[in-house]
């Protein structure tokens, strides 16, 4: 247990903030001990994974717990499928690489997403036509009130677009310990229709892609568009892609002929990056904060000296300008602390 501990190395924005208390938990027993300590002092709790989906806007006057539960196990589930269970402290991309080395399909489109396994169900992470819910079986969680381990299946998780029960009524009530995925061992479903995957495969000269090829294409695309948080502080996509009624989208098309959208029944998902770029934010810098010059959906700690409040205020300005121009309210994907 450490006091007045700097959290700068534990958030990918690289902003300076401290926690009154800090501890690393390498087992469920250590986690329970930390929770009992916080309870005895009536401290609020902040769980830290890979630090890739949080923005620390101030010091945390409580106990920050770094979840370091490690391990990957496999269980047979049939001739053509396998169950892979990863502990919450495992790095997400390393898990994807592990499955691809085994030729297990299902996670390849989610390559290079930052963060740890434990946070993946919280926001139902997704990219290039795939979401966690597509391969999710269940997750084990610790009930923070009873300190009992519970199992949440896919129905209980109530997944939505970048959403789950853990971001709604279950927020602050559970911590995810491990996640189990059902992956294919053969007859893999290859998804190349979303985003720039197909064109990248063509650039690589690949006509009949394997799951490994899809992963390589995704990695190339992400590396070409997204900054490495180890070099430039960021949390990946800062905003969710908004979903608006089809009627509203059609109305907007009268004014903005080139507006992009992905129809889904009576609704249309509009790329937040496009909206932000149309408002002149791409590459724009105010003080220590900027919108990335290659991907306006990503807010960066441009000088390395930005405070969490500066980044938050910058994001607020973007929200206001998009709402003023398009009548669309952007929602932050990053958790604000």
């Amino acid at each position: 247990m450490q006091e007045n501990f700097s959290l700068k190395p534990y958030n990918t924005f690289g902003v300076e903030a401290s926690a009154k208390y800090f501890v690393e938990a390498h087992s469920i027993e250590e986690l329970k001990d930390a929770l009992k300590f916080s309870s005895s002092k009536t401290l609020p709790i902040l769980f830290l994974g890979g630090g890739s989906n949080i923005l620390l806007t101030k010091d945390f006057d409580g106990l920050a717990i770094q979840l370091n539960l490690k391990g990957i196990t496999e269980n047979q589930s049939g001739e053509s499928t396998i169950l892979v269970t990863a502990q919450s402290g495992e790095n997400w991309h390393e898990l994807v690489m592990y499955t691809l080395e085994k030729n297990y399909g299902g996670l390849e489109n989610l390559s290079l997403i930052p963060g740890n396994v434990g946070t993946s169900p919280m926001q139902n992470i997704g990219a290039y036509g795939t979401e966690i819910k597509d391969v999710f079986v269940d997750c084990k969680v610790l009930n923070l009130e009873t300190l009992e381990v519970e199992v949440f299946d896919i129905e209980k998780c109530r997944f939505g677009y970048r959403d789950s029960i853990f971001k709604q009524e279950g927020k602050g009530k559970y911590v995810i310990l491990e996640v189990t995925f059902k992956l294919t061992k053969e007859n893999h479903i290859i998804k190349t229709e979303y985003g720039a995957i197909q064109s990248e495969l063509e650039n690589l000269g690949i006509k009949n892609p394997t799951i490994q090829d899809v992963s390589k294409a995704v990695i190339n695309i992400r590396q070409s568009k997204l900054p490495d948080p180890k070099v430039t502080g960021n949390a990946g996509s800062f905003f969710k892609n908004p979903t608006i009624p089809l009627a509203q989208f059609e109305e907007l098309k009268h004014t903005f002929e080139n507006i992009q959208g992905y129809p889904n029944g009576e609704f249309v998902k509009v790329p937040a990056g496009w909206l932000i770029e149309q408002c002149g934010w791409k590459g724009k810098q105010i003080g220590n904060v900027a919108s990335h010059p290659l991907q306006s959906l990503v807010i960066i700690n441009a000088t390395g000296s930005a405070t969490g409040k500066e980044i938050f205020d910058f994001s607020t300005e973007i929200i206001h300008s998009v709402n003023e121009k398009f009548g669309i309210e952007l929602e932050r994907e990053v958790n604000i602390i």
Side-chain angles (χ1 to χ4, degrees):
M1 188 72 64
Q2 301 182 66
E3 295 186 44
N4 301 317
F5 189 82
S6 172
L7 298 179
K8 186 172 183 177
Y10 294 87
N11 72 96
T12 58
F13 265 118
V15 300
E16 184 59 76
S18 64
K20 187 172 184 179
Y21 297 98
F22 173 87
V23 68
E24 289 190 16
H26 299 87
S27 67
I28 296 177
E29 290 71 27
E30 289 183 2
L31 175 58
K32 288 181 177 180
D33 287 342
L35 293 171
K36 290 173 183 176
F37 172 83
S38 69
S39 179
S40 68
K41 292 184 174 291
T42 321
L43 297 169
I45 300 168
L46 172 62
F47 290 105
L48 297 169
S52 62
N53 197 44
I54 60 171
L55 175 61
L56 299 168
T57 60
K58 57 187 176 181
D59 291 338
F60 184 68
D61 190 27
L63 172 62
I65 302 176
Q66 170 74 18
L67 289 169
N68 259 334
L69 281 65
K70 300 283 190 176
I72 300 174
T73 57
E74 301 177 18
N75 286 290
Q76 297 296 328
S77 75
E79 289 186 9
S80 60
T81 57
I82 186 86
L83 297 181
V84 176
T85 300
Q87 300 296 300
S88 61
E90 290 288 340
N91 176 271
W92 175 260
H93 181 63
E94 290 178 9
L95 170 66
V96 175
M97 292 298 101
Y98 169 92
T99 63
L100 291 172
E101 287 173 8
K102 297 281 189 119
N103 198 38
Y104 300 156
L107 300 181
E108 57 276 0
N109 291 55
L110 305 177
S111 298
L112 213 62
I113 291 179
N116 289 354
V117 169
T119 54
S120 62
M122 288 182 63
Q123 62 185 62
N124 183 23
I125 62 170
Y128 301 104
T130 297
E131 292 180 317
I132 279 295
K133 67 178 180 60
D134 300 332
V135 292
F136 180 88
V137 176
D138 59 37
C139 61
K140 284 186 179 178
V141 305
L142 186 69
N143 185 311
L144 298 180
E145 182 177 344
T146 66
L147 295 188
E148 296 292 324
V149 175
E150 301 178 19
V151 177
F152 277 54
D153 61 16
I154 191 166
E155 288 187 9
K156 198 169 182 180
C157 285
R158 301 225 320 272
F159 290 126
Y161 172 60
R162 302 296 180 270
D163 199 16
S164 71
I165 190 173
F166 304 111
K167 292 184 72 174
Q168 301 300 328
E169 64 266 36
K171 187 174 183 179
K173 296 180 181 179
Y174 307 96
V175 59
I176 297 170
L177 305 174
E178 66 178 40
V179 188
T180 297
F181 307 96
K182 187 175 185 179
L183 307 177
T184 54
K185 293 192 293 185
E186 57 187 22
N187 301 321
H188 305 305
I189 299 173
I190 306 294
K191 295 183 179 180
T192 62
E193 67 278 3
Y194 197 94
I197 294 180
Q198 192 60 53
S199 60
E200 179 59 27
L201 289 170
E202 291 174 4
N203 291 339
L204 294 171
I206 297 169
K207 293 183 178 180
N208 298 301
T210 63
I211 53 176
Q212 290 80 7
D213 293 331
V214 172
S215 172
K216 177 62 175 174
V218 169
I219 290 171
N220 288 353
I221 296 166
R222 292 184 72 91
Q223 287 180 333
S224 70
K225 294 168 58 178
L226 301 173
D228 183 348
K230 295 176 183 177
V231 178
T232 304
N234 73 93
S237 298
F238 197 92
F239 301 99
K240 295 181 181 180
N241 290 320
T243 299
I244 64 175
L246 178 60
Q248 182 184 358
F249 181 77
E250 293 296 338
E251 186 67 28
L252 284 168
K253 283 187 73 173
H254 292 306
T255 307
F256 308 99
E257 294 181 3
N258 296 324
I259 188 170
Q260 300 176 11
Y262 300 94
N264 182 14
E266 291 300 310
F267 294 90
V268 178
K269 185 186 294 183
V270 182
W274 186 89
L275 296 170
I276 294 167
E277 187 173 341
Q278 298 306 304
C279 292
W281 285 95
K282 190 173 185 179
K284 184 175 181 178
Q285 181 168 339
I286 300 176
N288 296 307
V289 188
S291 175
H292 193 263
L294 297 180
Q295 174 51 273
S296 55
L297 191 57
V298 177
I299 295 176
I300 59 173
N301 184 348
T303 65
S305 303
T307 65
K309 186 179 184 305
E310 283 181 287
I311 294 170
F312 180 83
D313 290 346
F314 187 92
S315 71
T316 300
E317 289 297 318
I318 291 177
I319 291 172
H320 287 164
S321 65
V322 169
N323 195 16
E324 185 175 333
K325 184 166 186 173
F326 295 100
I328 296 175
E329 183 89 12
L330 291 182
E331 184 179 349
R332 297 178 180 91
E333 187 172 325
V334 173
N335 292 312
I336 309 300
I337 306 298

